[in-house]
Amino acid sequence: MPVVATVPDKPVLEGLEEKWKARWNADAIYRFDRSADRSRVYSIDTPPPTVSGSLHVGHVFSYTHTDLIARFQRMRGRAVFYPMGWDDNGLPTERRVQNYYGVSCDPSLPYDSGLLERVVRANAAGGLPDPGAGKSSSKSGPALAVSRPNFVELCAVLTAEDEKVFEALWRHLGLSVDWALTYATISTDARWVSQRAFLSLVAKDRAYQLEAPTLWDVDFRTAVAQAELEDREMPGAYHRIRFDVRDTGQSVEIETTRPELIPACVALVAHPGDERYRSLLGREAVTPLFKVPVPIRAHPLADPEKGTGVAMICTFGDVTDVTWWRELGLPVRAVIQANGTLRPVSWGAPGWESLDADAARQHYEALVGLSATKARARIVDQLREADVLLGEPRPITHHVKFFEKGDRPLEIVTSRQWFIKSMEVRAQLLERGRELEWIPEHMRSRYENWVNGLAGDWCISRQRFFGVPFPVWYRLREDGTTDYDARLVPSEDRLPIDPSTDVPEGFTAEQRGTPGGFVGDPDVMDTWATSSLSPFIVCGWKRDEALWKQTFPMDLRPQAHDIIRTWLFSTVLRSHLEENVLPWKHAAISGWVLDPDRKKMSKSKGNVVTPMGLLEQHGSDAVRYWAAKGGPGVDTAFDAGQMQVGRRLAIKLLNASKFVLGKTAPEGPLTHVLDRGLVTRLAELVRGATSSFERYDYTAALRDIETFFWWFCDDHIEHVKRRRAGAGEDAASATSACLAALSVMLRLFAPFLPFVTEEIWSWWQSGSVHRSPWPTEAELTRLLGGTADADADRAVRHASEVTAFIRRERSLRKLPFSVPVTSVGLPDALQGDWPRVSDDVLAGNNATQARVSFGAGLSVDFAMPAGS
RNA sequence: GGGCGGUUAGCUCAGUGGCAGAGCACCGGCCUUACACGCCGGCUGUCACAGGUUCAAGUCCUGUACCGCCCACCA
């Protein structure tokens, strides 16, 4: 049957995105097949981007990688489960909503059902601000205090707008997501899963609440987890300070970078083996200024090399202080409060005993209410006046722990928090990490590094508003204090709840906050406590048993390497604790996009190109081409040049396809050796590309496919085009081979260049190329009569060699193609293949009249133009 | 300080024991009937360094240097 193709006269790339993204949506070609058997399903745990930030070129890069795999698996016949999520939960959204609507959250307020409409209407004028501009664009005037449910409503309204923009970009990029599966981390579903899974952990005693010293951000006024820390280099100074040793007339010197914590000092410590201080152990020192007697103790963590070898233990200056405090059984004498300032204390009262309470009061009065930094400057003056500061402070730079989103160093504040027990399952988590297939393999060590370095259980409570609330209330005693042991939890069918407005079973709303009544847990969960459940959210855990069986454990977790310690780790943990299984088979870790200076592209450097602008400038296929060149886990330079190359490739595909489809000669069996060689080599290409893709090595697949395609255009087409223009058996053979090659190459390119391949496919095929079967060796060898044709493959190589030689000679002699070849000399080795390829090779080189002879090597002569 | 990765052409990179490669850039030529948004060709190397294993090393081993990342490091 002759091919009927509708080929445009001048095919172009412009407009393909608009045309095909609409069609794919209308035809639902990426819809997940709910009837597919588990063995046929390929499920992907897509990273939900933070919608209150901006998508940048790094997202385009890594999400393309996932899409390449999704498209390959789909064409291989898998029912691909490929949802998109939006991370709209957490601090970034909270900040953005506060600024945008001029509101602040007050969890003690009752829900106001009319507030949403009023606030949104008041803000209706003017477009949405730039999502990235959150921090600086705060509204003037006092913030309107709203209840937590109202605040969450506003978050939902604003993030819905952001999500539309994100979705439009992903569609334009050609991600083959099933948009019917989209989820959001603050959605009812996600809150249900978070609360249900949390209650499950509590029931299994895998989660607990504890009042303990916790890493604390004084600006956000919330606890933070180990995974959210980062170290920053800060200027600081060593202050050498003299403490008197009680009853001896001796003194001892310490060095500290935080002299403002002297009022919080509870002990001094030295190494047990440090001879210099052995005689002091067991004695008491007296803190300067505040005259508090503190014990001098020994602990192996005290480093004789640091400072004077004696350290001041404060509650709490750093995590080592916490260790010392706990292991030495020391009292708490906390001065830093939640907002980072020094709180008032009663000198002389229990716990604040002083040998000179008046002096302590007087010195401390000047410090109360000051931030740590200001208090430090003040106390240095006091120490100097008291003549206990030895020498001047010695400036140093040191590393200080920060909340990754914070602006001031973390403090350690005692507070009541929820924790998930991760320490006790550390060994099993390491085992899970070994079970997981990492792409690339070496990323596993990042995970092991992190698990081995865990310092404590995972603190999941945050003193914020926008997030999933803890579904817990507490009884109030008759004296009005909270009885944290008398926990009230809702029945499962009420989830999700908000304990700040919902009422526990058996109570009335009036009993909230009253003696004998109840109070809701004020906190929300860490955003990772929800994100870690993404497989549970998308796969229908405890809500859709059929879907769960069909999709979980998932096949692929794609993500970047910087969140191995957070998202990947926490997901493995939750899946292990809840289902006792690894959440996915493979983890594909993408690299970063680097700017030409080899630095990670970041907004602050002002070098981020807007993704939509990029797609519009180069075309989505071209940008995808560049992205596909970056292998898994490989940081890749932003390179507009590669996008240009991708664009040219797409254009070349249009033109080559136009040529192949332009002649509708009858098809016939593959009689000609060059056609048989083409198909043989094609089968080899398919084998290699398939195996590369199966190993998630899409980069190698693309390279091989592309190389083949250019050879097809440059050599094969040039050889056969004249034969194909003729008639008869050999013309039919050429037509058949070219059509087969085109069909195969379009399908091979389809994951990389979904728009241009779909466009060309539509010229002559029905249905979507993205739903067509991935090519197989078998379909090609069938054309050859059952087996690959090694002789033909060799003949093809010889043909290309001769052509390359003639072209080189023509070029070196600067002769146009119109000057015909008069004679060709060939090595004897070619005698066997030559008769079968000579017509095509000679025709392709304007050499049809040339004399051919055999001898030692290659030679060629041209009809020299007159005058040369 | 611990761990991981990298170092190959001017640039970006591939190369998984067997003749050092691709694209870009640069230079030269060509409108040959799909494509001038094209085609053909050319130039370009201390494979970071030092040692070792091997018939054979860019590739495997040991060490060094530098770059990047992860983790730890607040007295």
Side-chain angles (χ1 to χ4, degrees):
Chain A
M1 196 187 345
V3 166
V4 180
T6 313
V7 184
D9 286 342
K10 266 277 179 192
V12 293
L13 298 176
E14 282 67 30
L16 294 187
E17 288 92 348
E18 294 307 324
K19 174 179 175 183
W20 289 109
K21 72 189 185 192
R23 185 76 64 80
W24 294 334
N25 189 39
D27 295 349
I29 68 163
Y30 306 126
R31 181 66 46 83
F32 175 60
D33 179 2
R34 285 292 305 254
S35 70
D37 187 74
R38 176 64 184 96
S39 62
R40 208 166 67 74
V41 169
Y42 188 88
S43 54
I44 302 173
D45 187 17
T46 316
T50 305
V51 289
S52 46
S54 324
L55 290 176
H56 52 78
V57 65
H59 289 104
V60 169
F61 179 70
S62 56
Y63 280 75
T64 296
H65 297 163
T66 307
D67 189 57
L68 300 175
I69 301 300
R71 287 181 179 278
F72 167 70
Q73 295 290 354
R74 188 179 296 109
M75 292 177 74
R76 290 274 276 174
R78 305 290 286 271
V80 175
F81 182 73
Y82 188 9
M84 182 58 61
W86 309 123
D87 190 8
D88 44 14
N89 174 358
L91 263 182
T93 300
E94 190 176 305
R95 275 201 289 218
R96 178 154 146 73
V97 168
Q98 283 172 347
N99 292 334
Y100 184 66
Y101 289 116
V103 296
S104 71
C105 182
D106 181 349
S108 68
L109 289 176
Y111 178 65
D112 175 349
S113 61
L115 183 133
L116 177 66
E117 205 189 328
R118 293 201 305 279
V119 171
V120 172
R121 196 181 314 122
N123 279 273
L128 287 173
D130 170 17
K135 247 182 184 172
S136 53
S137 66
S138 67
K139 298 232 160 177
S140 54
L144 173 66
V146 303
S147 75
R148 187 158 71 189
N150 283 120
F151 192 83
V152 170
E153 276 180 350
L154 290 170
C155 291
V157 169
L158 193 55
T159 54
E161 292 302 313
D162 293 334
E163 286 157 14
K164 278 185 210 157
V165 176
F166 277 38
E167 180 177 335
L169 177 71
W170 287 151
R171 285 182 182 273
H172 200 86
L173 179 63
L175 297 190
S176 59
V177 160
D178 180 354
W179 291 99
L181 303 173
T182 306
Y183 69 98
T185 55
I186 199 61
S187 66
T188 305
D189 230 25
R191 279 181 287 143
W192 188 95
V193 170
S194 299
Q195 295 191 339
R196 171 73 207 267
F198 168 76
L199 291 176
S200 168
L201 289 177
V202 172
K204 286 190 273 202
D205 194 30
R206 295 290 197 175
Y208 63 92
Q209 198 185 33
L210 185 69
E211 177 142 15
T214 317
L215 293 161
W216 185 270
D217 187 283
V218 297
D219 292 312
F220 289 110
R221 297 191 202 181
T222 179
V224 302
Q226 185 186 356
E228 295 169 295
L229 304 186
E230 67 183 30
D231 281 5
R232 294 184 203 159
E233 261 202 359
M234 296 280 293
Y238 280 131
H239 304 74
R240 200 177 182 103
I241 294 163
R242 186 171 60 229
F243 283 53
D244 289 329
V245 179
R246 203 173 177 187
D247 303 330
T248 63
Q250 290 177 289
S251 65
V252 60
E253 293 168 12
I254 61 116
E255 280 198 336
T256 180
T257 55
R258 301 203 59 184
E260 74 278 14
L261 293 180
I262 290 174
C265 177
V266 292
L268 299 187
V269 66
H271 193 274
D274 193 335
E275 298 296 339
R276 296 171 295 176
Y277 302 111
R278 181 161 290 175
S279 66
L280 295 178
L281 297 179
R283 293 194 176 276
E284 282 189 320
V286 178
T287 62
L289 306 178
F290 307 98
K291 303 297 177 195
V292 176
V294 295
I296 303 174
R297 305 284 299 268
H299 193 281
L301 272 183
D303 183 352
E305 304 292 312
K306 272 190 180 172
T308 64
V310 181
M312 161 175 94
I313 303 177
C314 304
T315 52
F316 296 94
D318 64 22
V319 289
T320 316
D321 279 345
V322 178
T323 307
W324 281 327
W325 165 79
R326 194 173 47 232
E327 295 187 6
L328 299 175
L330 298 166
V332 176
R333 200 171 285 139
V335 297
I336 302 281
Q337 53 191 347
N339 66 5
T341 62
L342 273 63
R343 70 189 183 98
V345 302
S346 320
W347 293 100
W352 298 91
E353 291 87 356
S354 166
L355 303 180
D356 185 349
D358 286 339
R361 252 189 300 275
Q362 194 189 329
H363 286 122
Y364 196 75
E365 208 162 85
L367 307 176
V368 166
L370 296 184
S371 68
T373 318
K374 292 202 172 106
R376 189 174 309 154
R378 181 70 58 90
I379 204 168
V380 166
D381 291 339
Q382 294 180 355
L383 291 165
R384 199 178 279 126
E385 271 173 40
D387 200 27
V388 291
L389 179 66
L390 302 162
E392 279 304 297
R394 198 153 44 83
I396 53 157
T397 56
H398 58 170
H399 292 262
V400 181
K401 284 192 200 319
F402 279 73
F403 175 36
E404 59 191 357
K405 297 187 175 74
D407 297 322
R408 284 198 280 171
L410 288 172
E411 294 290 351
I412 292 171
V413 170
T414 298
S415 54
R416 177 169 290 275
Q417 305 292 344
W418 283 101
F419 296 86
I420 292 179
K421 294 182 178 175
S422 39
M423 295 303 276
E424 64 186 19
V425 292
R426 237 186 327 174
Q428 291 98 304
L429 294 178
L430 283 173
E431 192 44 48
R432 294 287 181 215
R434 287 180 209 115
E435 239 178 279
L436 183 60
E437 276 187 53
W438 295 79
I439 303 147
E441 181 67 30
H442 69 255
M443 289 295 177
R444 175 181 288 113
S445 61
R446 305 247 176 146
Y447 172 85
E448 297 199 344
N449 239 344
W450 175 252
V451 176
N452 283 322
L454 283 178
D457 286 336
W458 176 18
C459 175
I460 56 164
S461 44
R462 299 290 178 272
Q463 288 65 54
R464 304 301 307 170
F465 322 111
F466 185 53
V468 179
F470 286 87
V472 176
W473 300 269
Y474 308 99
R475 295 289 301 261
L476 291 181
R477 300 189 188 89
E478 290 306 326
D479 66 2
T481 58
T482 305
D483 184 356
Y484 288 102
D485 293 328
R487 224 178 261 151
L488 303 163
V489 297
S491 59
E492 199 180 296
D493 57 1
R494 291 185 64 196
L495 299 178
I497 62 137
D498 185 336
S500 74
T501 50
D502 291 316
V503 175
E505 284 99 337
F507 289 82
T508 63
E510 290 68 37
Q511 289 175 277
R512 181 184 297 278
T514 59
F518 69 93
V519 65
D521 189 306
D523 294 344
V524 297
M525 296 179 199
D526 172 14
T527 184
W528 296 112
T530 296
S531 301
S532 60
L533 298 168
S534 58
F536 289 22
I537 295 169
V538 295
C539 297
W541 180 73
K542 305 288 185 200
R543 283 119 58 230
D544 186 339
E545 205 50 36
L547 182 66
W548 179 252
K549 287 207 172 88
Q550 206 186 0
T551 54
F552 186 90
M554 305 185 81
D555 291 276
L556 178 67
R557 156 60 73 87
Q559 64 162 81
H561 54 60
D562 54 335
I563 54 174
I564 289 175
R565 66 172 180 171
T566 49
W567 194 35
L568 192 145
F569 166 77
S570 62
T571 311
V572 171
L573 173 67
R574 300 302 292 274
S575 180
H576 175 76
L577 292 179
E578 202 58 50
E579 297 290 325
N580 196 28
V581 72
L582 203 56
W584 350 263
K585 291 187 190 71
H586 303 88
I589 308 298
S590 62
W592 276 334
V593 176
L594 307 176
D595 69 16
D597 302 336
R598 311 299 303 164
K599 297 276 188 275
K600 185 189 175 190
M601 277 204 152
S602 64
K603 223 181 320 192
S604 58
K605 297 197 69 190
N607 55 8
V608 167
V609 194
T610 70
M612 196 51 109
L614 203 61
L615 297 184
E616 281 166 354
Q617 183 187 348
H618 300 281
S620 294
D621 284 340
V623 175
R624 291 174 63 103
Y625 172 88
W626 159 75
K629 289 272 188 180
V634 180
D635 292 347
T636 299
F638 178 83
D639 189 350
Q642 282 302 308
M643 297 175 198
Q644 280 306 317
V645 173
R647 184 178 173 80
R648 278 202 284 272
L649 172 64
I651 292 168
K652 189 77 174 177
L653 264 171
L654 286 175
N655 286 315
S657 303
K658 174 183 155 193
F659 175 76
V660 168
L661 296 172
K663 180 166 185 304
T664 55
E667 291 185 71
L670 301 184
T671 54
H672 197 277
V673 68
L674 287 187
D675 302 328
R676 297 181 63 79
L678 169 71
V679 173
T680 296
R681 302 183 82 179
L682 204 51
E684 177 59 26
L685 171 71
V686 167
R687 198 170 66 81
T690 305
S691 132
S692 294
F693 252 122
E694 281 171 342
R695 293 191 313 270
Y696 294 81
D697 192 355
Y698 48 81
T699 304
L702 173 58
R703 186 185 57 236
D704 293 344
I705 296 163
E706 191 186 3
T707 302
F708 187 93
F709 171 67
W710 285 108
W711 170 81
F712 172 77
C713 292
D714 296 343
D715 282 18
H716 186 80
I717 287 183
E718 292 304 327
H719 281 151
V720 308
K721 71 203 300 185
R722 287 154 192 90
R723 167 159 60 89
R724 183 173 164 273
E729 191 182 63
D730 281 352
S733 170
T735 302
S736 289
C738 284
L739 286 169
L742 182 64
S743 165
V744 167
M745 287 187 294
L746 285 177
R747 283 177 285 152
L748 293 176
F749 273 126
F752 302 98
L753 311 172
F755 292 101
V756 74
T757 52
E758 184 77 312
E759 170 70 11
I760 296 164
W761 196 255
S762 75
W763 294 346
W764 62 312
Q765 305 273 7
S766 61
S768 170
V769 69
H770 304 299
R771 280 290 192 186
S772 65
W774 184 254
T776 61
E777 279 183 274
E779 79 175 80
L780 291 163
T781 46
R782 203 177 305 129
L783 294 176
L784 295 167
T787 53
D789 191 335
D791 286 347
D793 184 23
R794 191 194 57 241
V796 162
R797 285 174 210 283
H798 283 157
S800 285
E801 275 168 36
V802 175
T803 291
F805 176 77
I806 297 173
R807 283 173 178 167
R808 184 160 50 247
E809 290 302 313
R810 189 188 289 283
S811 188
L812 290 173
R813 298 178 206 191
K814 302 189 189 305
L815 297 173
F817 188 82
S818 53
V819 172
V821 173
T822 53
S823 71
V824 180
L826 299 170
D828 288 332
L830 264 56
Q831 282 207 32
D833 285 326
W834 180 252
R836 300 192 290 160
V837 303
S838 61
D839 284 358
D840 282 354
V841 172
L842 294 176
N845 287 288
N846 191 12
T848 44
Q849 306 300 314
R851 252 180 317 104
V852 178
S853 57
F854 288 90
L858 285 163
S859 64
V860 63
D861 279 311
F862 298 88
M864 300 308 277
S868 68

